[in-house]
Amino acid sequence: MLIRWQQTLTTRLPTWRWQEAILLLFPLTLALAGFWLLNRLEASAFGPRWWPYWVFVGLVLIGHVGLARFNPAANQIIYPIAITLTTLGLLLIERLAPNFTLRHLLNFGVGIVLMVGLAGWPHLLRTLERYRYTLILPGIVLLVFTILLSFTPLGNGQSLFLRIGPIGFQPSEPLKVLLVIFLAGYLDFHREKFKHIRLGRFWRDRRWLWVYFPMLLMWGFAMLLVVAQRDLGAALLFFGTFLILTYLATERADYVLIGLGLFVAGAFVAMNLFSHVAVRIAVWRDPWRTATTTGFQIVQALLAVASGGILGQGLGQGFPDLVPVVHSDFIFVALAEEFGLVGVSAVIALYMLLLDRGFRIARQQNDSFHFLLAAGLTALICLQAFIIMAGSVKLMPLTGITLPFMSYGGSSIMTVYAAIGILLNLSSSSVLFATSAQHITGAKQA
Amino acid sequence: MCSLDALQKLTLFFLVAFFAVALTTGYWAVVRANDLNARGDNLRRLERERRVARGAMLARDGETVLVETVFDEDGLARREYHVPALAPVTGVWSVRYGNSGLEAAYDEWLAGRKGEPFTQLLDNLLHRPVRGYDLVLTIDPALQAEAVRLLGNRRGAVVVTEVQTGDVLALVSLPTYNPNTFEEEAEALQQSPANPLLNRATQGLYTPGSVFKIVTLAGALAKGKTSLDERWQDPDGIFFVNGFPIRDFEEPPQDEFDTAHALAYSSNVVFAQLGLRLGPDAMRETARAFGFEDVPPIAIEAEASRLGRDDFLLDDVGLASTAFGQGQVQMTPLHVNLITAAVAHNGQLPRPRLVQAIQTADGETLQRIHPLTWKRAVSGRVAAQVREAMVVAARDGYARAGAPACTTIGGKTGTAQLGGTLAPHAWFTAFAPADAPRYAVTVIVENGGLGGDVAAPIARRLIEMLVCTP
């Protein structure tokens, strides 16, 4: 009887995403409380204002209704997690850089539309699979732009930022997602080959070229970024994502170790050849000595974390604005100062939860391309979060990348919501599979 | 052994990585927090400091406000010093240049950082605006103002204390600075040749001249080297030590007199002999008992008085000139005042007290600072004898100039010769009233001339104000 009831519940497509709706109440209440506090404290230079809150609520509801309309079977946990993180980010941006709030909300809106579109497009996965190699073409264009931008004064070299008229654009952001799609396709196609290569017979069995040629390419690209962008962050993110996907496809640790060895060796050589890389490393090792010059940013960041303590100063009551670019790359530090260790732990827990849900979706896939895609996108987001968080607290050398979902940065928030859209699409394709599987097991048990 | 698949291993990797981030954040936010928050270059500390309602400083009566905090429209604190001439005592609160005086000594209380731990935790959690604690000083602003007026535009210092408690009633150092405009003028003040930032009363080291004879006399009496009624012959006003002539600054009116009158007429001839009788060791021992080579335990910045190098005292000429306050002896006006207080009060140097109580903004006393003795210089018997000699000096001697008509005092003038063409420092130190001393008053006028002519009238007026006005 119970099993029958379960079957009817799971086999019927849900009419409304109630779980998601209830979970969304939490971030919306958080945003309400946050805006009430900010308006009461008059922390923002623009004075008390409520419209950003209503715009935010409207956009969140558009996303929710859009998902319910176009892909009701998609995972219901991921969207609320993303919105909770974005809520914290929005509150901090409204408090730190209120002149950016409108732009941030617009970027977020575009991100929501991208997410709903990608999640609701029924042919998305087939299209991606069909054009998995063709997709690399726009990717190469973006890559060329990324590298060119690093060298030419066309963009601001360090931030990899391209400006065409009024629209600012960071080509390295969408490149990350395209790279994951391409690598998932490539590795899926060659995975059997990679699994059985024996490195001992490298001359007679030359299939290793299929692994090491792309690895060397990726490595070269990463090194180019290290040198040109004066920053390990983006390079580490690209190369790390590549290694993670290779590992997932082949389940061979030796590739990862060799890749890491290459990266460390390359970074070491770059450190000796290029002074700006050496400066980065020196600042990381002892920022206190240069607290007023090169180490200023990280020292201010650590002072902000220290000021936050366990419970934080409270939203709008600390001084995170003393840290340079706090609303973008260093939003984690603002979080630490105003929400304390408790808030930091909560945000880390949210990323872990996202990782868990993403990997669950990956595990549900019956196609290895889909598996690699889901796991790759999840790992990409979490790796990016880890690199910038670790950089902000001096666990790793400092890097200039954004914190996914939270930081101000148009390309970043659009890209990350697009990735979430693909993940949601994958989750619904697997739900159909999962329900049918459950149907079979249920029938067996009955 | 349970084997993990690739996805599980990757999850484990992220778990460890995120845990490491949380641990590192905890390290900075909890373990290193105090150390980082206290860093001098931490702008947060300064920002917060500028928003604290720093405690006020009240006068001796507990009502008159000497220093208070006002806020401008941006919510930034500004200190208002209602008695600018009190700068040597209050010091100045300056975020840019650092605090000084009582602002530095009682910074933790004034800024509200000290106090009940539980209340502090609650204040911190609820972000209650911090209100620092108030200080009740021992300063009498009327007396301070009068002393400043009397000194006028001359350089010098005035210290007035209560002999029993060590309460500092007035502490003047001129020229000084205006703490209200300190931050704007700091550069000029630091370079000014008049050295207005030096607290002359507690940090200024001056040759004491005849004022030091109090110490020599006390030492000689304590060691039994003389008695008050010993007769001395001094017909010429000159005495030779190893062929080096020692002269009286002014020849005494009589050729023969007792030890008490030797102090009264400030006879260098007699005191050079007393010093030689004492010897270098006993001289240094006496000086140490009177607090030489030891920083007086006052809350604000102070210097220790110096007697001179050992080899200088071993030489008889050096010892003799030390005995009447020349040579290498250097004293702060505060220390001269404390010695006077010791003579007036059983031979005990009081611990100078500037703050009598710390209280909340509602006037609730949080902590009372009790008067204490700094050290015992000489026995009560010897102190009584020196007191008698000083009363004689103020009755018959040059210290007459400092005695007001309404009361009797004990006093000692000093005219510290500096060599060269510099005019001597004019000293006067006294206690009043003579029979039951309550106040010690010390005046120095830098390069002022004769102690009896220049410094004594200032002290007389202050004693009148203290003792004679009801």
Side-chain angles (χ1 to χ4, degrees), chain B residues 127 134 140 225 242 371 376 382 395 463 465 468:
Chain B
H127 286 277
D134 293 352
D140 179 349
K225 305 290 184 194
N242 298 344
R376 167 167 280 284
V382 173
R395 191 186 62 214
I463 293 167
M465 206 173 152
C468 306

Side-chain angles (χ1 to χ4, degrees), chain B residues 20 87 174 200 220-221 239 289 293 314 342 395 416 422 444 464-465:
Chain B
L174 285 176
R200 289 173 158 74
L221 288 170
F239 173 74
E293 291 159 21
L314 284 173
R395 191 186 62 214
L422 285 173
I444 177 174
E464 265 172 18
M465 206 173 152

Side-chain angles (χ1 to χ4, degrees), chain B residues 7-317:
Chain B
L7 218 47
Q8 282 167 326
K9 284 181 189 162
L10 201 57
T11 313
L12 203 62
F13 162 75
F14 273 109
L15 202 63
V16 170
F18 280 132
F19 192 61
V21 171
L23 273 186
T24 316
T25 314
Y27 171 71
W28 296 116
V30 181
V31 182
R32 294 288 302 278
N34 289 340
D35 148 35
L36 290 187
N37 288 334
R39 272 174 74 92
D41 61 349
N42 193 340
L43 297 169
R44 269 172 195 78
R45 205 174 58 101
L46 308 181
E47 284 279 339
R48 205 155 288 146
E49 205 154 278
R50 294 205 81 116
R51 283 169 170 77
V52 169
R54 240 176 127 73
M57 294 193 204
L58 307 173
R60 188 174 179 74
D61 57 10
E63 280 166 22
T64 316
V65 179
L66 301 175
V67 183
E68 65 183 330
T69 301
V70 290
F71 286 96
D72 63 8
E73 48 290 357
D74 298 332
L76 294 181
R78 193 164 52 78
R79 281 297 247 183
E80 250 178 33
Y81 298 85
H82 296 303
V83 186
L86 215 51
V89 175
T90 61
V92 63
W93 175 69
S94 167
V95 173
R96 203 180 325 159
Y97 296 96
N99 302 344
S100 57
L102 287 179
E103 294 276 22
Y106 286 86
D107 188 42
E108 298 223 298
W109 289 103
L110 288 168
R113 279 198 298 276
K114 228 164 180 169
E116 232 188 309
F118 181 69
T119 324
Q120 279 206 311
L121 185 73
L122 214 60
D123 286 351
N124 221 347
L125 276 181
L126 299 177
H127 286 277
R128 286 187 195 148
V130 181
R131 172 69 167 83
Y133 300 106
D134 293 352
L135 303 182
V136 183
L137 306 192
T138 55
I139 295 289
D140 179 349
L143 193 71
Q144 175 90 9
E146 181 66 8
V148 169
R149 192 187 66 79
L150 291 170
L151 214 48
N153 51 13
R154 290 173 288 187
R155 293 184 193 175
V158 176
V159 182
V160 182
T161 58
E162 234 177 37
V163 294
Q164 272 131 11
T165 56
D167 281 7
V168 179
L169 301 180
L171 192 138
V172 177
S173 164
L174 285 176
T176 187
Y177 58 97
N178 184 348
N180 293 311
T181 54
F182 171 77
E183 290 218 329
E184 295 90 77
E185 297 164 0
E187 306 282 325
L189 289 171
Q190 275 161 3
Q191 282 153 16
S192 166
N195 212 346
L197 294 180
L198 177 80
N199 187 346
R200 289 173 158 74
T202 58
Q203 295 173 298
L205 286 167
Y206 298 99
T207 305
S210 309
V211 171
F212 184 80
K213 287 173 182 158
I214 299 169
V215 176
T216 311
L217 179 63
L221 288 170
K223 299 283 174 201
K225 305 290 184 194
T226 183
S227 62
L228 277 189
D229 44 15
E230 186 185 347
R231 306 299 292 179
W232 299 86
Q233 310 286 332
D234 182 17
D236 313 319
I238 193 157
F239 173 74
F240 289 91
V241 180
N242 298 344
F244 183 86
I246 287 182
R247 293 173 211 277
D248 287 341
F249 189 74
E250 207 172 325
E251 211 168 306
Q254 292 148 311
D255 289 348
E256 190 188 306
F257 43 80
D258 60 11
T259 315
H261 282 81
L263 188 77
Y265 302 138
S266 203
S267 165
N268 291 352
V269 167
V270 173
F271 276 87
Q273 294 174 59
L274 282 180
L276 292 176
R277 283 192 200 171
L278 261 176
D281 294 338
M283 182 59 113
R284 191 172 290 280
E285 192 189 315
T286 309
R288 285 218 176 111
F290 270 99
F292 274 80
E293 291 159 21
D294 206 353
V295 180
I298 192 165
I300 58 178
E301 304 85 351
E303 286 287 332
S305 297
R306 302 167 191 160
L307 188 64
R309 286 199 318 274
D310 270 332
D311 54 343
F312 184 76
L313 287 189
L314 284 173
D315 175 39
D316 276 351
V317 181

Side-chain angles (χ1 to χ4, degrees), chain A residues 70-107:
Chain A
F70 295 108
N71 193 350
N75 185 300
Q76 303 195 37
I77 314 279
I78 290 181
Y79 183 59
I81 293 174
I83 292 301
T84 309
L85 290 168
T86 305
T87 301
L88 285 171
L90 178 73
L91 288 174
L92 288 171
I93 288 167
E94 168 72 6
R95 177 245 181 290
L96 293 168
N99 47 334
F100 287 136
T101 307
L102 180 62
R103 291 191 68 140
H104 186 64
L105 284 170
L106 287 178
N107 295 329

Side-chain angles (χ1 to χ4, degrees), chain A residues 312-371:
Chain A
Q313 293 291 331
L315 183 62
Q317 303 189 65
F319 299 99
D321 27 0
L322 295 173
V323 186
V325 294
V326 70
H327 61 282
S328 167
D329 295 352
F330 270 98
I331 200 152
F332 180 72
V333 163
L335 180 87
E337 173 158 10
E338 305 220 313
F339 292 86
L341 189 57
V342 174
V344 166
S345 306
V347 164
I348 289 176
L350 284 173
Y351 283 114
M352 278 310 291
L353 212 56
L354 186 74
L355 186 85
D356 173 60
R357 292 292 137 178
F359 280 3
R360 266 180 206 219
I361 291 170
R363 213 175 267 288
Q364 285 165 3
Q365 308 298 323
N366 51 357
D367 178 290
S368 60
F369 170 65
H370 295 173
F371 165 80

Side-chain angles (χ1 to χ4, degrees), chain A residues 21-132:
Chain A
I22 290 166
L23 286 176
L24 280 176
L25 284 179
F26 173 69
L28 293 183
T29 315
L30 182 68
L32 182 72
F35 269 92
W36 178 77
L37 192 62
L38 286 181
N39 287 341
R40 242 191 80 107
L41 289 171
E42 300 187 10
S44 128
F46 285 73
R49 56 181 189 179
W50 277 104
W51 66 259
Y53 174 70
W54 296 117
V55 172
F56 179 67
V57 171
L59 290 173
V60 170
L61 288 182
I62 287 172
H64 174 60
V65 173
L67 285 179
R69 167 70 186 79
F70 295 108
N71 193 350
N75 185 300
Q76 303 195 37
I77 314 279
I78 290 181
Y79 183 59
I81 293 174
I83 292 301
T84 309
L85 290 168
T86 305
T87 301
L88 285 171
L90 178 73
L91 288 174
L92 288 171
I93 288 167
E94 168 72 6
R95 177 245 181 290
L96 293 168
N99 47 334
F100 287 136
T101 307
L102 180 62
R103 291 191 68 140
H104 186 64
L105 284 170
L106 287 178
N107 295 329
F108 171 64
V110 175
I112 289 285
V113 171
L114 277 175
M115 179 193 76
V116 171
L118 287 170
W121 188 17
H123 307 301
L124 172 75
L125 295 175
R126 242 186 303 155
T127 316
L128 288 183
E129 226 165 338
R130 183 175 298 162
Y131 298 109
R132 59 172 101 174

